[in-house]
Amino acid sequence: MNKWNTRIFSVAFLAFSINMSLYSQNKSIYKDKTRSESERVSDLISKMTLAEKIGQMNQLNFDQINKDLEEKIKKGEIGSLLNVTNAEEVNQLQQVALQQSRLGIPLIIGRDVIHGLHTIFPIPLGQAASFDDELVKNAAHIAAVESREKGINWTFAPMLDISRDARWGRIAESLGEDPYLAGRLGAAMVRGFQGNKLSDATSIAACLKHFAGYGAAEGGRDYNSTNIPIHLLRNVYLEPFRKSVEAGAATVMTSFNDNDGIPASGNSFLLKQVLRKEWNFDGFVVSDWASMSEMISHGFAADRKEVASLSANAGLDMEMVSQTYIQNLEQLVKEGKVPVQAIDELVKNILRIKIRMGLFENPFAPTGPGKTYSQAHLNAAREAAVKSAVLLKNNNQLLPLDARKKIAVIGPMADAPHDQMGTWVFDGQKEYTVTPLKALQTEYKHINYVYEPALAFSRDKNKANFEKAVNTAKQADVVVVFLGEESILSGEAHSLSNINLIGVQSDLLAALKAANKPVVLVTMAGRPLTIERDLPNADAVLYNFHPGTMGGPAIWDLLFGKANPSGKLPVTFVREVGQIPMYYNHNNTGRPGPKNPMKLDDIPLEAKQSSLGNSSFYLDSGRDPLFPFGYGLSYSSFEYKDLKLSATKIKPGEKMKVSATLTNTGKYEGTEIAQLYVRDMVGSIARPVKELKGYQKISLKPGETKLVTFELSSDDLAFYGLDLVKKAESGMFNVWVGGSSDSGLKGSFSLEQ
Ligand code: BGC
């Protein structure tokens, strides 16, 4: 470049720079999407008044404010709304936020989209039975697509509370009893909701809840206190959260419970130490519904002002509905009880996510036709329902049914379009639900059937139609009985102390025996019910957790063998409610009970105190559950053979391979969920008798064999031991590969430092 050219270039560059800086003066840095996230956050926070900051920390329910909602948004008093579900309404409110508030900060619009918005998928517990990360991810993606069409950009899911108590109504919403399974599926859900980028047009922000320990509510009574000691908290209850934070979850919700006396919304150990320091979480934390102000009822805070101070100092960013922040934080800052720097940190967490979600560029719901209830969504819901069903019993290969046989369809859940969808359904319309009966009237029209509900709903105690039901059954070759729970019987604040089939449903099943026909019991329930007493009255049992919009056709697909059941239990099924809590990954105790203890009625009169052996079991219900975690049958059968370990010793940082051959020894093509379990034989604290460390879904044609290989690394063996540092401890390990937590080929290896 010669001298003149250089001059011309310099002048041009100068002009360009002046232009650019004028441009950026017009457009604030925080609105400029070419700037980095942290530049935008810093710029915005520097421009905000204290009141505006506190406004961002305030989340209100749409119904809570009726008249001056827009006024409040204009003044910057609201950071988020939940339960606005009308796209036009969302757009109008976002318009106000963007154009009429001083800084134009968009709202984040939340809703409980738990297992679908309109197209309803199986309840999360059902989805967990699929052990299928892709399926769960896709279900969440579809929920996100339908949500964005309504302007919803944030869901309060996944719920990652480990639950080992089927009395607790919210077990329905959980991913089961195991931290590995819940962690993997929780992470898959996060990926499904959030897509590749939070700012994509089909992504919504996920919210991991309830942090933490909520599923361990004493006695299964919702909202109850929990008493989870630190090792159990770290090794079990926090684990799914850790994995889902790692998957990039944008938000976390605190829980209602107090653990060992400390309510989660005032627990700085959880929020600061674990979430921020150890896991480097950079999203924001929202309280649960009034869980902050409820710290007064807990007896943890004297008044609303103290609530605000406790939560802000514990690191809770946004308050759901109870408004103690908006009413008290300014004063608390003045009094020096909450430093303004602390507020800045909390608000920055919220702004960071709003920026990451692309809300400053486009917070609006799209116009035009959407994909809600599209055929593709319905097909996916049907596939999910198929893969979430668990075959518990199939005597004499009664299933699959011969489609030429005449079927008696009995029971209150055969045509319960509302109840089939399960808990946490606000937007799913029952008109779209395809019940088993409706599926027979439409797509399975060629089936010859007779129908008698016998009971109007699951709690109905009127036995007047039992005789009619028996006569109907007599007309058929096989009886399919649909029993279970109405959706209102599980979910939040819907705990039960008796989890037998509700009402007189067991009596109905027993009465049908009189028809002397083979009986298939099909359930639709929100929890693992205690069905031991019902098993003798059914030749086959297909257990469905509430299967959602497309449950009906999915069930017939399975019953007629168009699909082969492949689900496995994500929770232990107890025999009696009194066995709770019972879960597969328990510690061994010093005196594990015998497999087949003497039955209560066989105990001789005046037997000596110690004659039954002094070990751990119930005199009346034994040592074992009815069905263990990981259990589930197929129309085919699978055989595991030739367990091989690539090493018998590994060192920290090393990996090994554990493999076995799997053969389909039955007549049908089928899918087996192969499971890998480990037991750390001796630890600095006692370790569980088994822990799930891997699973794979393997599809096999009849007679086909495949090699199943799991990789196991020393990191997979790590846990929080006596010193509360997460690491693998050297010593012996047992390892199993099999089709359930109570079976499998067994090997062993050691970890040596
Ligand atoms: C539940 C949360 C839910 C929130 C908002 C609370 O009662 O515990 O799981 O996300 O309400 O609806």
Side-chain angles (χ1 to χ4, degrees), residues 82 112 156 170 209-210 253 256 288-289 320 424 492:
L82 72 156
D112 292 279
F156 304 123
R170 296 195 86 167
K209 70 188 190 185
H210 305 83
M253 184 187 291
F256 285 124
D288 201 348
W289 186 285
M320 189 187 285
W424 280 116
E492 184 175 350

Side-chain angles (χ1 to χ4, degrees), residues 415-427:
D415 193 30
H418 169 80
D419 292 316
Q420 169 179 321
M421 290 190 285
T423 186
W424 280 116
V425 173
F426 296 135
D427 307 278

Side-chain angles (χ1 to χ4, degrees), residues 425-739:
V425 173
F426 296 135
D427 307 278
Q429 291 143 272
K430 68 174 182 179
E431 295 69 26
Y432 282 86
T433 301
V434 189
T435 64
L437 185 70
K438 192 163 171 196
L440 287 176
Q441 293 158 348
T442 51
E443 131 173 35
Y444 275 96
K445 257 197 213 135
H446 55 288
I447 300 296
N448 184 6
Y449 73 94
V450 273
Y451 170 58
E452 170 51 52
L455 296 165
F457 48 90
S458 70
R459 279 169 297 163
D460 184 3
K461 293 192 190 65
N462 183 354
K463 295 186 178 180
N465 288 326
F466 276 25
E467 207 183 311
K468 235 162 106 190
V470 173
N471 289 333
T472 307
K474 280 184 184 157
Q475 294 167 38
D477 301 311
V478 57
V479 186
V480 182
V481 195
F482 292 87
L483 304 178
E485 291 181 301
E486 290 147 70
S487 57
I488 192 67
L489 300 178
S490 61
E492 184 175 350
H494 296 90
S495 296
L496 287 169
S497 62
N498 177 331
I499 53 169
N500 293 336
L501 274 168
I502 202 125
V504 293
Q505 294 182 99
S506 288
D507 298 347
L508 171 62
L509 190 67
L512 289 168
K513 268 283 200 201
N516 215 7
K517 297 289 157 90
V519 173
V520 183
L521 167 61
V522 178
T523 66
M524 294 189 189
R527 53 166 64 76
L529 297 166
T530 39
I531 52 168
E532 186 173 34
R533 80 207 63 232
D534 304 302
L535 289 181
N537 296 325
D539 302 279
V541 179
L542 184 70
Y543 206 94
N544 298 274
F545 297 102
H546 288 127
T549 305
M550 295 300 284
I555 287 169
W556 292 120
D557 289 348
L558 289 162
L559 295 182
F560 290 123
K562 208 166 141 187
N564 193 346
S566 60
K568 300 274 188 177
L569 296 179
V571 277
T572 300
F573 272 50
V574 294
R575 297 175 186 279
E576 293 288 342
V577 74
Q579 286 185 319
I580 291 174
M582 186 173 263
Y583 45 93
Y584 86 93
N585 43 0
H586 58 84
N587 290 354
N588 203 30
T589 80
R591 295 186 179 190
K595 181 132 192 69
N596 293 308
M598 186 176 284
K599 301 225 161 43
L600 186 67
D601 292 333
D602 298 338
I603 301 173
L605 291 179
E606 300 192 4
K608 283 213 162 57
Q609 169 71 34
S610 57
S611 60
L612 305 177
N614 288 340
S615 65
S616 181
F617 65 93
Y618 293 103
L619 292 180
D620 53 354
S621 61
R623 183 196 71 173
D624 294 328
L626 185 61
F627 297 110
F629 174 88
Y631 175 85
L633 302 171
S634 157
Y635 297 152
S636 232
S637 48
F638 299 102
E639 191 180 21
Y640 291 84
K641 266 193 179 159
D642 298 329
L643 181 76
K644 287 207 176 72
L645 278 61
S646 65
T648 51
K649 288 179 190 162
I650 58 167
K651 289 201 161 61
E654 288 184 353
K655 290 179 179 160
M656 65 188 290
K657 290 200 165 113
V658 184
S659 59
T661 60
L662 178 65
T663 305
N664 181 343
T665 51
K667 287 196 303 218
Y668 300 90
E669 183 166 353
T671 300
E672 165 74 335
I673 298 168
Q675 300 154 45
L676 174 78
Y677 293 91
V678 161
R679 176 171 178 188
D680 186 344
M681 299 307 290
V682 179
S684 62
I685 59 169
R687 306 291 297 129
V689 293
K690 271 187 184 177
E691 288 179 286
L692 185 68
K693 295 290 177 186
Y695 56 81
Q696 286 176 38
K697 288 187 93 159
I698 316 281
S699 294
L700 294 166
K701 298 204 168 56
E704 196 184 5
T705 297
K706 280 186 186 164
L707 186 69
V708 188
T709 305
F710 290 98
E711 207 173 71
L712 192 63
S713 77
S714 66
D715 287 350
D716 297 327
L717 308 172
F719 66 102
Y720 289 89
L722 198 60
D723 56 5
L724 280 172
V725 175
K726 191 174 186 188
K727 60 175 181 298
E729 295 180 1
S730 46
M732 287 302 297
F733 292 81
N734 282 348
V735 60
W736 293 260
V737 173

Side-chain angles (χ1 to χ4, degrees), residues 184-373:
R184 244 174 91 166
L185 297 181
M189 265 192 199
V190 168
R191 295 193 180 100
F193 286 131
Q194 298 194 168
N196 294 332
K197 271 205 331 253
L198 262 181
S199 56
D200 285 350
T202 55
S203 295
I204 58 177
C207 183
L208 313 180
K209 70 188 190 185
H210 305 83
F211 199 59
Y214 182 40
E218 259 185 2
R221 287 194 302 286
D222 208 0
Y223 313 124
N224 214 351
S225 297
T226 60
N227 287 294
I228 311 171
I230 189 68
H231 291 102
L232 193 63
L233 185 73
R234 291 270 196 188
N235 289 324
V236 174
Y237 288 88
L238 295 186
E239 190 49 22
F241 288 90
R242 189 190 62 77
K243 270 207 193 137
S244 305
V245 164
E246 221 171 75
T251 73
V252 168
M253 184 187 291
T254 57
S255 56
F256 285 124
N257 57 301
D258 71 281
N259 187 46
D260 199 16
I262 306 174
S265 297
N267 190 331
S268 65
F269 164 73
L270 285 176
L271 301 183
K272 287 189 168 164
Q273 172 64 28
V274 176
L275 195 56
R276 300 278 175 200
K277 247 186 145 162
E278 296 178 20
W279 299 348
N280 298 316
F281 175 67
D282 75 347
F284 73 85
V285 179
V286 64
S287 76
D288 201 348
W289 186 285
S291 67
M292 279 174 51
S293 59
E294 286 171 13
M295 290 199 291
I296 300 170
S297 310
H298 278 282
F300 191 73
D303 52 31
R304 293 171 57 82
K305 191 167 166 193
E306 194 181 357
V307 163
S309 163
L310 281 169
S311 291
N313 285 314
L316 208 163
D317 307 306
M318 184 184 279
E319 177 173 18
M320 189 187 285
V321 306
S322 50
Q323 302 189 77
T324 68
Y325 275 167
I326 193 107
Q327 289 161 5
N328 298 286
L329 273 184
E330 220 163 332
Q331 185 59 25
L332 285 162
V333 169
K334 272 193 204 133
E335 291 170 14
K337 294 197 175 121
V338 178
V340 75
Q341 295 82 345
I343 306 258
D344 282 0
E345 288 315 306
L346 303 179
V347 176
K348 278 191 204 166
N349 294 330
I350 298 168
L351 300 176
R352 189 177 304 121
I353 293 303
K354 288 191 172 180
I355 288 170
R356 199 173 291 169
M357 288 171 72
L359 295 180
F360 284 85
E361 288 74 47
N362 180 16
F364 301 110
T367 47
K371 292 191 175 154
T372 294
Y373 286 128

